[in-house]
Structures are given as C-alpha cells and as structure tokens.
Amino acid sequence: MTSINYEEPLEELMVALIGEILNWYTVLFDVLFKPIVLVAMSEELDETVCKQMKGLVELLSTSGKPILNQEVMKKFKKLCRTSDAYVNHAFELLMQQLHIKHAEVRLSVCQMVDELFHRSHVFRELIIEDLQTFIDLTTGLNKLVCLPAPKAVAMKMKELAIKTVYLWHDKYGPAYKKLALGYEFLKTCKQVEFEGVAADVALERRKQEETERKLEVARQDRLAKVTNQMSDLQEDIELCVTEVENGLELLMPTPDQFFIPVAMETSSEQEVTSSITSSSNNQKVISSESNSLENSFKLSSQTLSNAPSNEDSQKSKLCDQKSDCDGENVGEDFLQSLCKCGSKIDHIEEFSVISQGRDISKKTCKHCQDEPIKTVGNSEYEKESDNEDTADSDGFSQQHGLFNHNFSLTINVGGVSEPRVEETEDNKDIIEDVRGKYRLIKNRFLPKVKKWVETLTENKGDKVHIDQLLDLRVRLETVVKKCVELEIKAARRAVEEEDSDSEFEDVPDKDGYEEDIPEHKEQGCVIEEGESTGHVDASVGTKDKKKSLLEKAPVVAFGVDIEHWESPDKIKPAAKVRYDDASRFWVAERDPDDLETGEQGGSEEVASLTRRTFTYTGEFEPVKWKCRAPLSNGKLCERMDRVKCPFHGPVIGRDNEGQPTEAEDIDRLNRERIHREIEEASTSNGDNSEGGARGKGKGKGKGKAKKRKYPNLTDIQDTETSRSRLEAKIFNRTTLRKVNNALDAASMKKLAEKFSNQFNYIFTDQHKITSVFTDQHKITTVFTDQHKITSVLTDQHKITTVFTDQHKITSVLTDQHKITTVFTEQHKITTVFTDQHKITAVFTDQHKITTVFTDQHKITTVFTDQHKITSVLTDQHKITTVFTEQHKITTVFTDQHKITTVFIDQHKITTVFTDQHKITTVFTDQHKITTVFTDQHRSLQSSQTSTR
Amino acid sequence: MDSGAFSDSTVSILLAGGGDGFVVIYDVCCPPGPERHTFPSVGTVALNNRHRHKFSVETVLWYPLDTGMFTSSGADCMLKVWDTNRLKPADEYQFSGIVNCHHMSPIATRHCLVAVATNSSTVKLVDLKSGSSSHSLKGHDTSVFVVKFSPYNEFILASGRHFKAFMITDYNSVVTGRYYYGTSGMRRAASYSLTSTMGGNPRTYLKITVSALSHNNAVNGLQFSSDGIHIVSCSTDNAVRLWNTSTGKNVGVDYGAISNRAKKCVQFAVSDGCSQDLVFIPNDTRRSVDALNMVTGKREYSLTGHYSYVNCCLYHPDLNELYSGANDRNILVWTPKTFSSQYRNVRKRRRERVEFKCTEKQPKRSTEKHDSKITVSSTAKSSISNGISAGLSGIETTGGANTALTADSWSSDEDT
C-alpha cells in the first residue's frame, strides 16, 4: 500500500485499494478457516481409492511375515503418489494400524513407514511431527508403553525401528530439525546405542560394496573373456558365413538378384548386335577358365549353356548381361531375367526351372566345353533373329516380360512341394562344403555368438561389440534358415537315414515257424509237451541247463499249485462233502456262506491250496541296535527294529545326541523336514476347518472353531503352555464323560450286585429325594416311610401303592398314571396330580394339601378322611365321590365338573362351585358354607341338609 | 528445566537450572540467523562448583535490576543468592522443606523481598537487604507450589497452594515506613494477612477459594498477564483459568483441558505485546507447548518438538521468542515466522503449528555435562528437570534489529 502513487487517477487507486483489501481478506480467511479447508481437502479423496488403500494396508500389515511383499507395497506407493492428500490418508491409516497391539502388525507397519518416509516429503513431515508416538510404539523405550506380543518379533521390531531412526537421521537429519532432536533424545536420554547400529550399517554397506566390487570384477572378467574369444573367432565365423552365403547363392539365388533396371533392359535390345562379338569374347574367356575354375563358375556356364533351350528373348538379355557383369554372375542374371519374365513366379517355380536347366546342362555340358563360342554364338544369333521378328509387334509385351500375346506360361505350384537342391555330381562339392559349414555354424558358432550377446548385454558390455555380434547373429541365423529351407540339412539326414537303414538286416518271413527257440521259450514248450504227452523229449543242450538248474532248485513236495503250474486259474478248491441225506435229524445247519461259495470255490480256499509254508532255515539274529532318534523329552528312541522304526523311519547311524551321522541321511531328513514344514504351512488354514468339521461330526454342537480374521498373524491370544495343553486333554468333555461313565458303571454294578430285583424294599426309610422314576415303571410299593420328595413320577407309571407313610411332597405324578392307592397316610402335599390320571383311591388319611387335581382326572374316591385343603379340582374332572368326611376346604370346584356325590359329611367350606357344574348330590350332611353356587349349576338333589 | 522466572529488563541472558543441580547461563542475544543452532553458554555452576545445589534446581531468577546477581532454589531446601561474576553464592537460606518456587517483584523499588514457596504451608518472605527470612504469610493449608509477584504492583503477591485455591496477598503498607525499621511491622503484616479482609495493612485481600469456578485440584502454575490485570492459573485438574486480579473473579474463559500432572511448580508463559495475548502452557500428554488465546481460550497451535514432558516455558518479550525446557534435556527456542519472508508461506501451509519453527537447541556443552552427571551421580533423576530464568541486562539492546522479528504471526494479521 505504501507504494501506491497518489498522482495516479482515482480509479486506479481504488482498484489497487480494493485489491489490497481483498488480499488481506483472503489472508484472514486463510488464517481463520484453515481447519475447514482441511476438512474439505480430505473430502476430495476418492472413496474407492481410500478403500483400496485401506485394504492394502491391512493386507500388508497382517501378512505376519518379516519382510514386506514388494509387489503390494509398490501398488500402495503408487496409490499414495497420486497426491499429498493420499499421503496424508496413508499416514493416518498407518498410524491407526500401528496402534494395534500385535508385534507383527507393527513390524510390518514400521517397514511400510520406512518405505514411504524415503519417498514423500509430506509423509516425512507428518511422521516427524508424530515421531514421539512412532518411537514409543515401535521401540518400547517409553516404560509406559509396552511392546505387544509375540516377544521375539517385538525385539526384532525394536532393533529395526532403532536402525530406521538412525538411517533417517543419517539421511535427513540436517533437513528436519525435529528428527535430529528425536535422534538426540534417543541417544542422550534413552541411552540407545547408535554406535552399534552405525557399525552394523557400516558393515552392511561395506559388505554390499564388497559384493558389488566382486561382481564388477567378475563382470569385467567375463567381458574380457568374451572379447578375447570374439577377437579370436570373429574372423573365422565371418569367413565361414560368407562362404556359406556364397555357396548358397550359387545353389539358390535370391529373387533380388533377378532384378534388372528397366533402362538396361530396353538398351540391351539395341546393343544386342554390337555386343555379340564382345560377349562371345567374354564367353570365350569364361569358358576357357571354366575348366579350371570352381563349381560356381561351372554352374554359371551350365546355365549359360542351357540357355538356348529356354526362351529366346531372355537370351538377348543374357548377352547384354554378359558384357556388363563378370562371368560368375552370369548364371544368376539369367535366372533374374527369368524371374522377370514371369513376374510372379515364386521360388518354387524358379527352382524347378533351375533343376530343369541343370538337367539339360548335364547333357550339354561337354558340348559346351568343347565349343563354347560356337554354342553361345549360335544361341545368340537365333535369339537375335527371334527378337527382330517379334520386337516390333510385341514391343509392349516385351517391356512387360511377355513374349507375345499368345504366350501362356503355366506354373505348376503344387507340383514340386518344397524347394530342394538336388545333389548332382556337379554341385556335390558345393553342397558338401555348405553342409559342413552349416554344421559348424549350427553347432558351434551360433550358440557361441548367442552366448556372447547374452553375456555382453548382461554385463553391460561395449555397445559396438554388441551391435557387431547382433549383426553377426542375424547373418548366421539367416544362413541357417536358408540351409534349412534348402533342405541341405534334410539331405544330410536322408543320407544318414540311408546309412542307418542299412544296419538292419533283411529278415526272411518265417510264417510262424522258428528253428531256434530261445531258451526261456523252450522251457515252456517242454512242459507243455510233457503235459500233453506225458513224456519229455528234450535236446542235449537244454538237458545240461536243466540239470544245473535242478541242482539249485529247492525240493518241494508235489501239490495242487505245482499240478496247475501253467494254468493257475484252473485250481479249484475241493468240494465239501455234505451228508444231506444221511439223517433226518442229525444234519448240521448249513452255513449260508457255504451255500454261496461251495460250488464256485472261494478265493480263500484257493489261496489255502496254492500257498505254501516254508520254515525259516536261517538262524534268528536278535536286533542289536536301537532307533535312537531324539525324542521330545530329551531321550533317545529305545525301539529295536531291524530295518525301520514305525515312528522315526529307517534306522540309521546316529551319534550320541541322536543326530544322524551319514551325510545322505542328514540331507534326506532335512529335505523331509522342509517338505513337512511347507505342507504344514500350506494346510494351516485347513487344520482350522478340519477342527470345526471334527466338532460337527461328533455332534456335540460345541460350536465351530472360530475362524481367525488374520490367519497369517501369530495368535497372541493363544498362550499355549504345558498346563493349558494338559487341561485341554484332561478336562476334555468326552474324556470327562468317559471317566464318569466308567465310575457310574462301577458303582451301578456294585449296587446291582447288592440290590438288584429288590424293588419292594427301595426307599423304605427316610430319604431326601429330588427326582425319581422319570420314565415308565411298573411299581408295586414305593415310599413306605417318611420322605421329603420334590418331584416323583413324572411320566406314565402303573402304580399300586405309593406313599404309605408321612411324606413331604411338593409335586407328584405330573403325567398320566394309573394309580390305585395313593397317599394312604398323613402327607404334606403341595401339588399333586397335575395331569390326567386315573385314580381310584386317593388321600385316604389326613393330608395337608394345597393344590390337587389341576387337570382332567378320573377319580372315584378322593379325600376319605380329614384333610386340610386349599384348592382342589381346578379343572374339569369326572368325580364320583369326593369329601366323604370332615374337611376344611377353602376353594373347591372352580371349574366345570361332573360330580355325583360331594360333601357327604361335615365340612367347613368357604367357596364352592364358582362355575358351571353338573351336580347330582351335594351336601348330604352338615356343612358350614359361606358362598355356594355363585354361577349356573344344575343341581338335581342339592342342599338337602345343608345349614347355612 | 523445571521452572523459571524472568524479569523484564533483560534481553540477552538466559539462565537455566537443571535437574542435576546445575545452573547454566546462556547468551541468547547472538545475531539471529538460519545458521544459528546452538547457543554458547556463558557460565555454569556445574559439578566442579562446591556451592551448587545438591538436588534439582526448581527455580532460577535473575535479580530484576541487574545481572550481577541471581537467585536459585531447589529440592535441597536451599535458596541461594549468587554472584554472577564469581559464580559463588553470596547468601544462602535454608528452609524446612523443598523450595517449590521463589519469586521477586520485577518492578520493586521499595522493597527487596523474595517470596519463597516451600512444602510447608506458609509462604516465606526473605529480605535480601536484611539477609533474613524474616516473616511468613500464612493462609494455605498445605504446601505452596507457586508464588508470583504482580508486574504492576510491587505489593501484590499471588501464591498457589497445594489444594484447590490460590490467593493474592497485598501487603502494601508493610513497606510504608515501618518495614525498614523493625520486625514488629512485619509480624503485624503477617497477622493482618491472616486475620482480616478489611482494608488494613498487609492482608489477604483476595482469596480465591473452593467454588464451582475454582480449581478442583492443586494449583501449580500462576502467571500474571503483562499488564497485571489478569492472572492465569493452571492446575493438576487439567484446567486453566483466567482471573481478574482486582475482583478476584473467574473471567470464565474456557481453555479446554490441558493435561498437567506435575506435582511441582509449572512455569508457563504469557506473551507480551501481541495484539491478542497468548498463553504458552506445557501439555503433558502431547509433550508439547500449547499456545492458547488468552481472551478467547482457543488453542491456536501447539509446538511439538520435545520428546518428554515440558517443564517450563519462558517468553522473551523483546525478541518475541519462546524458550521451552523439557525432561529430554533440551531447551528449544521458538521463533515466530516473520511477516516479510514467511507469512505467505504460512498462508499456504495447512497447519498452523508451523508458524513456530524450532531453530535452536540446548548448548552442546551443557548436554555433555548432563550426561557426565548422570553417569557419576546415581541419585540424580534420570530425567533432567531444570529451571530457566531469562536474565535481564542490557535493556533495549539492538532494538531496531529485533523489532523486525516481533511481527509475529500469532498476533495475527493486521499489524503491518
């Protein structure tokens, strides 16, 4: 604001002023609403990404492994890299995870933090801001914050965290003040010995450098070696390749070489005549040289010589070519031109042509050599004349390689299946040479070059070298490919095949008859013969052999198995003789098995016939060694097995500690152990589920084994001690039940021995019983004396006399019973007859009853004597005679009853008949009644003598 | 550092007391710059000094008018008056209990009293002139944790006691003539302070006792605002309260819970000269120093950087720097970000706490001393607790240069 110029127009001033004010407002806004802005930023995060991040953090931290999964970590880092907000989110996630009380989780989180720390400045700032928490949770240097279980991992984590802080400080200490402060704090106040860590780190670095240096040296060595080899061999290889290439070119010219520039073609026609002489001269030289020159030259001359047999127009070109090119290329040029004339002729056709030409050349070769000039000259001449005939009329067609309009070339593509170089006398040497070189390249050079390229690229070799080698390799490969295409290799093979075929002899067809019988066959024959004819007639040689064998063979008594030596299927068990008809009475019951198997002969019986027992003739040698495998209790296995211990495998040499001494045994055991561990690790989840299945299978309903959320982590809840293991075994429900059953059975047995079948005398004296007779019994006399009973006879019983004497009963006869006499004497009863019963005489004597007959009963005589009753017959009953004598009753007949005779004697009744009843005779005697018949009743003969 | 007091005239010298009985003097007036990381120590009372405190030093205090003298007190029940130049005690006072705190009036011209809070229930007044701990102020039930003189009235003293209340004592008329002449007046003053609340001579003119608005636990920190109108108290009930010194009423500012579990004097600081004064108070759970707006009670930011409990904070009114000492043996200096260079950065930063940047640390020398001490004496606590006192001297030093720094960001935006 101070810089505002007052001479400026007012508008500008205002604008500047407003700008300034706005600026300040934004400042203010920022200062005041920063938290809000923060919230808004966190909202910007993509929810799915956040979820993914959370999943990754969880996955990484609960892996339970000492080293992070780098792939997952990379993914996580990639997510974090999107923006600072995600880094912030990651920090929050990690800190949240760091608070989980599990050392393995924390270790993993610590590693993750370390990785992110090196990557992100924002993360560094966040972590350093909260460095105290991080240190507390990972190092356990704060006495108030204990490191979580498992202890071993926690110690490892502590070391790692201290090292991490050291490395952080080493790298970022100067840049981050608080980190340096934290480092100082750990060093001075917590007495963390960073010197040791520093030494470790330095050592590690030195080691790494050392290994790197070694690797470097090795690399250099390898490079030097390769370059040496290269310098030695490269020339050879190149030479070889060139040779092969040249040879192949001779054998099979490529289509490129057929190319002739159009200008040359046209000019050739004009020059034809002039070139005749020169060409003939050339040819002269060529032909003269051809005798002494190599094959290739010969070939060219061959093609040249057979030119007359081919198309005329080509010959003119050929002459032309001859003047331009040297003699060696002549043949190829010819072929080129050939190719041009049939512009779409492919390889196959060319070769057929070539071979054709060669065939012809064979014939004409001699002639050509004898009179080369003449032949060529002739041909040239003919050609020329032909050309002159057609040149004017067919100028167009000439230009396009067509001879005339009537010309038709039939190309038989399918005729010759593959390009082949047929070996002839003439090209034999070339082919041989190429073949040899090919073999050399294929077997020696190509692999070598490939290897060099590999080593060079691996060891960062010189680029020029690599390029060279790559070129060379391409060349070699193309050569090899060509050779394969040309079937030079195949040809070689064919030769070999021929050779190998010749190894086999021709065997004449014998029509099944063999003069020489192999010995093993002969034996069979003899026995067969013996069987069939009963008399052995063998040759002398076999007899000797037989004798020597017989001497060795053990002597065995003749048996069924020997009888049927050749055809063991025919053995049949001896039929059992059954005396069915012998007697009407004394017949053994036939076994059903016999019935089935008797006829066919059981396999067991057959086996019993064929099997032989031999007595062991050797002497018994007692086992003098022990297994001596180390046991868990520190002792050695005492089993004395001859070969293999059923617990510890084969018996092997072991030292005093029980460790195997032989190297191969150690190896084998190690392998087995590793295998086992892997299997255990891989099926650790399966174990859990199996456990659950087992629990289900037994039908205990104990509940499935709880599946842990993070199966990779060590279960820190599971504090497995020897005590807990023993407890689990001893207090196992099944074992407890087993033991209890055994004890019960023992006591029951004891009781049964003493009191079995003495039911009449059970409960003769005072007992305190809780529940007896839960199921159907047939009882005559029970409870003769004073008992204190809570619940008896819960189910259907047929009882004649129960409770003859004073009892204190709470609930009796809860279900259907058929009772004749119950409660003959004084009882103190609370609840009796809760359900349907068929009762004849109940409560014959003084009872103190509170609730009787709560449900439907069929009762004949109830309450024959003085009773003190509070509520009787609460529900529908069919009663004939109730209350024959003096009773003190409070509430009777609350519901519908069908009563015939009630209250025949003096009663003291307060409330009777509150509901609908059908009563025939009520109150025959003096009663003291307060409220009777409150509701509708149908009384036939009622209140005869009742007094109110 | 445990606690400290500082008197208003010093700019350059910081005094720090340690849990090992050491007292170190630093010169904090080095030219500020990014490369300045560690202050040099000017003098130390260390292991080789036979006059040093036997146990931890709880309070160190410069003589308000001069750096030639400072006082220190500690857990060995001693109050020592030091000659700064010779680093030898000029006088020593023995008390019956641990000296929790002592304080001198920063503006006193008419008396030269040191108020000493000990584990006993009385506050002792030591007259440096007569050299005697002449009289005591009663009124507390149990040990007194903190005493503080008012910065505007030399006769007003605030003391915080162990249980639930603190009181402000005015013994104005103590000095009116009679103080200098005899002990009788002092006795009277003591008795007055106990007995009456009338307008008589030395009296407990305000007693803030148990009520709904007061603290529920021991008051262990008191600090006057720079104008002396308000007093801030903190307590182990994790509350911070603001009181009006004239009415004795709670102003009713809600500062939120500030964790505080120290069973000793907590020295916290109130900023001076900011548009809205801040209270810098150690927070135990976060091991940070929280900056609270004194008027609104809002927590502006917290300064994290200590790795252990912060014992004391000290605000330098001229440099606008905050010094905090903690159990991690560091004294950190917090400087405000200056407007010109960093204000715009502050705007961009997402977190406000960046506004204070930690630039310096405890001098290396003293750290080494602490280490050696710990190895030698097993009686010393493993953590260092010390007191700082910002000494005074060289008033008005290089004022122009430092005023640039005073454009502090916590005083918010509009001061240009």
Side-chain angles (χ1 to χ4, degrees), chain A residues 294-561:
Chain A
E294 59 206 289
N295 289 332
S296 56
F297 191 70
K298 219 187 263 172
L299 186 72
S300 70
S301 64
Q302 282 165 18
T303 46
L304 224 159
S305 60
N306 65 42
S309 64
N310 282 309
E311 272 71 41
D312 300 355
S313 62
Q314 301 307 314
K315 283 167 203 162
S316 66
K317 276 170 218 160
L318 183 71
C319 305
D320 198 357
Q321 292 299 320
K322 269 188 280 176
S323 62
D324 294 337
C325 315
D326 48 0
E328 286 185 357
N329 286 337
V330 172
E332 291 146 28
D333 292 334
F334 165 70
L335 285 170
Q336 268 184 1
S337 54
L338 244 185
C339 185
K340 215 162 177 353
C341 86
S343 59
K344 279 181 184 175
I345 296 176
D346 58 352
H347 261 183
I348 300 163
E349 180 61 348
E350 287 159 30
F351 284 115
S352 63
V353 170
I354 288 172
S355 53
Q356 205 183 356
R358 211 173 283 136
D359 291 341
I360 300 159
S361 73
K362 260 186 190 174
K363 296 163 196 166
T364 57
C365 193
K366 266 186 187 174
H367 177 64
C368 178
Q369 275 170 12
D370 292 342
E371 298 174 328
I373 309 163
K374 194 185 171 188
T375 351
V376 172
N378 285 343
S379 63
E380 223 78 338
Y381 181 74
E382 282 170 30
K383 209 185 345 171
E384 196 198 340
S385 60
D386 275 346
N387 265 343
E388 279 172 351
D389 291 341
T390 54
D392 298 330
S393 59
D394 298 333
F396 169 78
S397 53
Q398 281 271 330
Q399 277 177 11
H400 292 266
L402 296 177
F403 311 118
N404 51 36
H405 292 296
N406 302 327
F407 175 77
S408 64
L409 179 68
T410 42
I411 299 165
N412 194 359
V413 180
V416 181
S417 62
E418 276 178 16
R420 279 193 76 137
V421 178
E422 250 171 51
E423 199 172 342
T424 58
E425 284 291 320
D426 307 314
N427 64 4
K428 191 181 171 189
D429 292 341
I430 302 183
I431 288 179
E432 274 304 316
D433 191 40
V434 167
R435 198 175 283 156
K437 291 273 162 39
Y438 164 79
R439 232 172 275 159
L440 192 66
I441 286 168
K442 176 87 183 170
N443 296 334
R444 180 133 173 264
F445 292 150
L446 195 56
K448 205 149 231 173
V449 168
K450 273 182 184 165
K451 208 180 158 193
W452 288 343
V453 170
E454 218 168 84
T455 43
L456 280 181
T457 44
E458 266 177 12
N459 298 319
K460 296 162 195 161
D462 196 3
K463 190 138 192 291
V464 182
H465 282 290
I466 294 177
D467 287 346
Q468 269 180 13
L469 279 177
L470 283 176
D471 288 345
L472 195 60
R473 195 180 72 177
V474 170
R475 271 178 79 190
L476 287 173
E477 276 169 354
T478 45
V479 162
V480 167
K481 206 177 150 200
K482 268 185 194 167
C483 288
V484 171
E485 275 173 2
L486 266 184
E487 286 202 340
I488 287 177
K489 201 180 102 197
R492 181 174 59 85
R493 254 193 216 150
V495 171
E496 276 180 3
E497 269 168 28
E498 269 179 24
D499 291 345
S500 61
D501 277 346
S502 63
E503 278 175 14
F504 291 101
E505 296 167 2
D506 280 338
V507 182
D509 209 0
K510 285 186 210 166
D511 289 330
Y513 170 74
E514 287 191 32
E515 279 179 319
D516 304 324
I517 303 168
E519 281 176 14
H520 62 276
K521 288 250 176 185
E522 200 179 14
Q523 293 283 346
C525 289
V526 168
I527 287 164
E528 265 174 15
E529 274 174 359
E531 206 174 32
S532 55
T533 57
H535 129 199
V536 181
D537 193 4
S539 60
V540 184
T542 52
K543 250 183 188 171
D544 289 343
K545 187 106 189 231
K546 198 179 174 187
K547 256 182 193 171
S548 64
L549 283 174
L550 275 174
E551 276 168 16
K552 267 190 260 172
V555 180
V556 177
F558 185 77
V560 185
D561 50 338

Side-chain angles (χ1 to χ4, degrees), chain A residues 820-831:
Chain A
T820 49
T821 321
V822 199
F823 308 111
T824 51
E825 227 165 324
Q826 295 179 3
H827 301 284
K828 198 176 181 183
I829 299 158
T830 49
T831 322

Side-chain angles (χ1 to χ4, degrees), chain A residues 769-770 783 787-792 803 807-811:
Chain A
I769 299 156
T770 49
F783 305 112
H787 302 284
K788 197 175 181 183
I789 299 157
T790 49
S791 53
V792 198
F803 305 112
H807 301 283
K808 197 176 181 183
I809 300 156
T810 49
S811 54

